Amino acid sequence: MLTEIQPISRVSLENRSHSHSLGFGLETRQQSLTPSSNTGSKCQSGLVVAPDFIQGVIKLPTVEDFKALMGSYSDLYDDLITWHDETPSVHGVRFDASGLSARKAAFAYCPPSPERDYCYGWLSIPGSVIGSRGNDHFLTLCRLFCSFETFRATRFDVALDDYDKSIGYAELSSAVHERNYAGFRGGRNIESFNSKVRGGFGWTFYFGSPQSDKILRVYDKSVESGGDIDAHRWEAQFRAEYADAAFRAYVDSEGMPEFLASLVVGCISFIDRSSGDRLSRQSLLPWWSEFVSKVGSCIKFSIPRVKSTIQSKKDWITRQVTTTLAVLKRVYGSYFQHWLTERIEQGDGRLTPQLMNLARVAREDYVNRGVVFT
């Protein structure tokens, strides 16, 4: 059931520029930042943390409702959106219309149709916009999104800048080489060079694959930023269910910087594999233990794997396959049905015992409910 949109009043931008200072030198990024960056001032030391990206989808009754909600974003960030109602865009799925703000926040929507009795909207707000107003403005926006039951965050990034450079290339390189880490299946590093920076040598460590719902990047921000930000950045990227869980937990925490920093360090553990035969008995590497203490804590969470169902497979085919089948039908003509039957027979030969049991249970359920397929 869709949540009815209530009239949205303009949000006051006054007195929303202060930062939160905490016991460990941990701060949110401040209002003094320029709109093109959310990177914090160069003179800051210690730890600086901030949300760095938000992407999400929402179902609303009409296009006007979606534009009204995005208009509240525009008011809050003083960021005018130009709508292109006849310009499609693709963001995982195809949207019939799109929009782009002056600060490069992106939007898209599909209007209601005979097959879908709601407007399906998409939004993407980069860190440069988020950091231009500070944590209070972003938290206000997030609360607004969460007030609609149909909103779901599909990506949520958090950046933690360590101006003390507590952990560097040597520690991370050794941990990756010896696989002294947990939380990700794989880790790798890439080296780079920026001639505009003194020394010029840069590095980035990646944990998690590009397709993962949880990714951690650690890199020398001073090289990546051309010397503007003299820090090592820990950047956590959450997608799908991880993103929505992290986003809602952030809102529940009232946007506290301690929570954001704990979320980043909770993505991974750097451990001494030789200290025990099981992960629970392996001790943290000293430099990682010290860094976690500096942050204050770490928050680990997992998303239960959703059990595959016949309905989920039907939904996946409808969402991902039907358009391609329609194209092939136009190409093959009357031969299409024969081709499709052959493909299904090939798939039938590859059914695992688990899939065969899934089919049997689903068939029995349909029979018990009096549903008959002819």
Side-chain angles (χ1 to χ4, degrees):
M1 183 175 181
L2 297 179
T3 303
E4 183 179 356
I5 296 183
Q6 302 297 324
I8 303 171
S9 61
R10 297 178 69 90
V11 182
S12 172
L13 301 181
E14 298 178 359
N15 301 321
R16 293 185 178 277
S17 62
H18 62 279
S19 66
H20 300 278
S21 296
L22 305 171
F24 299 103
L26 190 64
E27 298 178 345
T28 53
R29 301 208 175 104
Q30 300 180 32
Q31 175 63 20
S32 59
L33 313 179
T34 63
S36 62
S37 174
N38 69 332
T39 49
S41 62
K42 188 175 181 179
C43 64
Q44 289 173 316
S45 63
L47 300 174
V48 179
V49 66
D52 203 47
F53 192 91
I54 178 67
Q55 181 176 292
V57 293
I58 190 169
K59 298 175 183 178
L60 294 171
T62 67
V63 171
E64 290 72 23
D65 291 331
F66 176 66
K67 287 186 176 181
L69 181 59
M70 296 308 103
S72 294
Y73 154 81
S74 185
D75 288 344
L76 190 62
Y77 281 89
D78 192 22
D79 189 19
L80 181 64
I81 302 172
T82 301
W83 293 102
H84 304 279
D85 296 325
E86 304 298 327
T87 304
S89 59
V90 178
H91 309 284
V93 298
R94 184 183 185 277
F95 290 86
D96 297 330
S98 58
L100 186 66
S101 78
R103 296 183 181 180
K104 307 304 180 185
F107 309 89
Y109 67 85
C110 287
S113 66
E115 296 78 23
R116 181 183 54 248
D117 62 353
Y118 56 85
C119 172
Y120 186 54
W122 174 89
L123 61 94
S124 176
I125 305 173
S128 57
V129 174
I130 296 170
S132 68
R133 294 292 189 184
N135 190 55
D136 282 357
H137 276 64
F138 184 64
L139 185 58
T140 297
L141 182 66
C142 293
R143 286 171 177 157
L144 180 59
F145 290 156
C146 283
S147 68
F148 296 92
E149 295 178 0
T150 57
F151 177 80
R152 180 169 61 88
T154 57
R155 178 175 163 185
F156 184 60
D157 294 7
V158 181
L160 174 64
D161 288 340
D162 177 17
Y163 283 84
D164 291 337
K165 300 184 178 181
S166 309
I167 299 171
Y169 176 86
E171 292 90 346
L172 292 169
S173 179
S174 175
V176 169
H177 178 73
E178 298 175 11
R179 296 194 62 81
N180 279 339
Y181 59 89
F184 296 93
R185 291 184 179 180
R188 59 191 177 92
N189 74 296
I190 296 177
E191 299 177 5
S192 60
F193 184 80
N194 188 339
S195 60
K196 297 180 181 179
V197 183
R198 184 177 181 181
F201 172 71
W203 45 265
T204 302
F205 288 86
Y206 296 87
F207 299 92
S209 71
Q211 294 77 33
S212 298
D213 291 341
K214 182 181 68 171
I215 301 171
L216 178 67
R217 290 180 288 268
V218 190
Y219 57 95
D220 188 345
K221 187 67 177 178
S222 60
V223 174
E224 189 267 351
S225 66
D228 291 339
I229 306 161
D230 191 18
H232 289 170
R233 173 164 290 189
W234 296 73
E235 194 171 84
Q237 176 181 304
F238 302 99
R239 291 191 294 211
E241 286 82 3
Y242 275 99
D244 198 55
F247 169 77
R248 294 181 186 280
Y250 162 74
V251 175
D252 289 343
S253 77
E254 297 296 319
M256 289 302 293
E258 298 102 327
F259 170 80
L260 284 176
S262 298
L263 196 63
V264 175
V265 298
C267 287
I268 196 169
S269 292
F270 290 98
I271 55 178
D272 182 0
R273 293 282 185 186
S274 65
S275 62
D277 57 350
R278 282 186 285 182
L279 182 62
S280 59
R281 297 180 179 178
Q282 293 167 357
S283 58
L284 298 178
L285 292 173
W287 51 263
W288 181 245
S289 179
E290 183 178 344
F291 188 66
V292 171
S293 296
K294 183 178 181 179
V295 170
S297 64
C298 65
I299 297 174
K300 299 179 183 292
F301 67 94
S302 60
I303 304 298
R305 183 178 296 274
V306 177
K307 187 176 181 180
S308 178
T309 64
I310 291 297
Q311 186 60 49
S312 67
K313 293 183 181 300
K314 285 172 58 182
D315 291 343
W316 182 83
I317 290 174
T318 301
R319 187 174 63 251
Q320 301 287 350
V321 180
T322 50
T323 302
T324 300
L325 290 177
V327 171
L328 292 176
K329 187 176 185 298
R330 286 176 177 266
V331 173
Y332 291 150
S334 60
Y335 176 71
F336 173 76
Q337 190 61 50
H338 175 74
W339 175 87
L340 183 60
T341 300
E342 282 189 338
R343 302 289 86 74
I344 293 174
E345 289 175 351
Q346 290 174 2
D348 191 66
R350 296 196 298 268
L351 287 177
T352 63
Q354 292 82 3
L355 289 174
M356 293 178 68
N357 184 63
L358 176 64
R360 180 186 60 79
V361 172
R363 184 76 178 186
E364 291 176 353
D365 179 60
Y366 279 122
V367 171
N368 292 335
R369 289 189 284 131
V371 180
V372 179
F373 297 103
T374 58

